[in-house]
Amino acid sequence: MKVPFLALAVLFSCGDAEAPRPDELCEFLGGSNVPFFGTAPLELAEGKLREVESRTGSEPEEVLARRRLADQLLHHGRVEEAIGHLEIALQLVSAHRLGVEAMVWRQLGVATLRSGERLHCIAMHNPERCLFPIRADGIWPDGLSALRAGDCFENALDLQPDDAGSRWLLNVAHMAAGSYPDGVRPEWRLPASVTDEDESVPRFRDIAGAVGVDTFGLCGGAVMDDVDGDGLLDLVASAWGACSPLRYYHNEGDGTFADWTERARLSEQYAGINLVQADYDGDELLDLLVLRGAWKGLVYGSVPNSLLRQAPDGTFEDVTREAGLGGAHPCLAAAWSDFDNDGDLDLYVGNQFGISGELFRNAGEGTFSDVAREAGVVNESRAAAVGWGDYDGDGDPDLYVSNLDGLNRLYRNDGDVKFTEVAEELGVAGDSGSLRTFPAWFFDFDNDGALDLFVASFNGRFSIGASPGDYSAVAADYMGLEVEGQRLRLFRNDTQGGFDDVTTEVDLDDVRTAMGANFGDIDNDGFLDIYLGTGAPPFDALMPNVLYRNVAGERFVDVTASARVGHLQKGHGVAFGDLDNDGDQDIYAEMGGAYVDDGFPDALFENPGTGNSWITIRAVGRKSNRGALGARIRLVIDEGDATREIHRVVGSGGSFGGSSLQQEIGLGRATRIRTLDVDWPASGIRQRFHDVPVDRFLSITEGVDEYESFRLPELRLAPPAEDAGR
């Protein structure tokens, strides 16, 4: 017997209830009223248009009704119908001088461009399609729809010349058509700096299709790590589609990947918007946490997360209820850490829609209890990211929560399960009501041994309303125009327990719309770089994912065009890791939007390398947690006649995507590592190793005097590609 949707909502939100069966969850999230997925808004828009058409003198209402219906039709892939309604709306606007002609032209341009995207970027997908700047093999074979879209944006600009969004989309349309830059009037053309390519950075290539990991789906999470313990990095992806399962791609060690989803019993883990990995029970097997429900409101968002424990045979079992994590709240943000330094991993879950965050303390036997209120970390805002880091250097991890609305929180860990909120005091809370942030993390960007804080902006909306979103602030910033928008923020640790805002000083004061994001070292120079997955639900949010290169800890440079990683489609989970064991970090990016018809293939960007030195360290805890989360690594390297330090903290990186827990550290031109220190979080042990060779894989175990050096086969993941378009 079918359970009514409302009854399922009550069932899922009850912590004492049995976990829902996969078919129940799939059916529940596939209902007609579910935000982003359901057909009810489409049916309502169709009914509204019929009602308006039945009355005379209702032309302004009819234009609005057709625009709203067109938007809903786009969500469900009925693009040509949407175009038809917008063309009728234009006729009405022109005939009755209704004053919204520019907006309708822009919306028609978006729909027309979407028609071409579905054909060329999806049905005829190749590794260059929808990479910004579009060139060479990325140009659409049939550019007619792109040219038509360009005409629409031109018409919009003739009526409203200051519309930065239409200017941006006009440039994108002509790139797709192969008519850029000549097809764009000089006054509307992008600055050359936006599309210039700098050959000094690695030029990545998307090999996801070549190795069979280009899963097509909606937004979700990504993990790159050694799931089965064979020494090779694997890939796991989720997607928030109602019946979209996890995908587990096992690294076969010969340059190929095998789909182990069924084999690992993950095929019925649906609708994950994010993934977080850790060995939470210390059995040397990597476990997964699937997060669900964000953006779907309190009814349809109240679905349970899933804690998936890996068994010795490589299968996963849902132990959420047994572990004491059985509540069901809308969320996409969670992070593991041993906040009390007792040797096992605890978990903070940031919820949404006014539901308190949860701090699950590990009892040491695979069970947890929520101590958030006792600890003072309840955060009742809409959490978009959470991150742990010992910013004050007192030996225990502190907690930062990025909120999409309202003030961000920095909870200083005072020990004894007590935290103090210090974000406003330290100037890292943002401005209530204006600063909208998403990804955030602690990392040491300048290698001074103190953790800094990066907080990414969000310039967009999650509204499921009638009209396309407005990302003019991002577009205007790319074009060098004066703009008021949310900017990225970088706070440098002042080593005195506080932070300085150095965003402008390091050239990161850009207006961007970031969702998934992570950090890694793309060129093995020892300084951590940033990759932002960008976008938002509406179809005009065609902004490239962004790669910032860290230049010696002094400034950041946008090298997106040079590195060829600027996907225009929606970017979500991002993970860094050395998939092919050649010493440099590759990037796995889970792609896809929120609406039913906004899926896209995932990307795997292979790093060609730079020739710089490297070291890969697998830290194994004994008294500290087995995965060594929170352990601090300090290297002193000789680089020519100079000596410098490199600092890392063991963890999975950013806040939307899980990088490999092994620490893959670039060493620049180092010829040797003079000293290598590891500080362990639970035991307080410091291990020091002298004269460590470079370009090696090492295993370091807590309390063991000698490190173990081991070999891994260097893999060719895909055949060499032609140097097209360079």
Side-chain angles (χ1 to χ4, degrees), residues 9 109 114 144 159 217 499 704:
R114 178 61 186 164
L144 185 58
L159 295 164
F499 294 91
V704 175

Side-chain angles (χ1 to χ4, degrees), residues 212-230:
V213 298
D214 56 338
T215 297
F216 183 90
L218 301 180
C219 60
V223 165
M224 185 191 302
D225 215 326
D226 181 7
V227 177
D228 65 333
D230 66 352

